[in-house]
Amino acid sequence: MAMKNLTAIISPEMVEPVEKRLRHLGVPGLSLSHTKGYGAYKNFYQRDLMTTHARLQLFLEEERVAQVIAALREVMGPVGDNGGIVSVSPIEEFYHL
């Protein structure tokens, strides 16, 4: 079974609706961490331009990736509305410990 690592950086306000939607899809788990950074969406009211975001990390079967990305787009709204990004990377090996 081929696995993928999906990482999504989203606004903290979107965590609850995204989590609810992913649970509804039957996604078995995710990791959440809070992160600061800057990119397209800078915080011009702070000296260092950093903004706070939530980072979701999911390990998924390859065939579920498109479904999860579609769900994220559905919850997040049109491109640019909520400032999210998603990346998908291959996983060479995956073990449950």
Side-chain angles (χ1 to χ4, degrees), residues 76-95:
M76 298 288 293
V79 174
D81 275 8
N82 291 299
I85 59 171
V86 175
S87 69
V88 179
S89 305
I91 297 174
E92 292 193 27
E93 296 185 44
F94 185 86
Y95 303 98

Side-chain angles (χ1 to χ4, degrees), residues 16-79:
E16 190 174 329
V18 165
E19 178 190 3
K20 184 177 180 181
R21 182 70 172 107
L22 294 177
R23 282 182 187 258
H24 180 74
L25 284 178
V27 172
L30 63 85
S31 295
L32 170 71
S33 58
H34 294 281
T35 186
K36 286 182 76 170
Y38 70 91
Y41 301 94
K42 298 174 183 72
N43 184 349
F44 292 105
Y45 298 106
Q46 281 189 205
R47 179 172 228 185
D48 63 4
L49 303 179
M50 299 287 224
T51 56
T52 301
H53 294 288
R55 180 188 345 231
L56 302 175
Q57 186 172 25
L58 298 90
F59 298 104
L60 301 165
E61 295 88 6
E62 188 172 28
E63 57 272 2
R64 301 233 25 220
V65 171
Q67 176 190 35
V68 169
I69 290 174
L72 290 171
R73 286 184 168 155
E74 180 182 306
V75 173
M76 298 288 293
V79 174

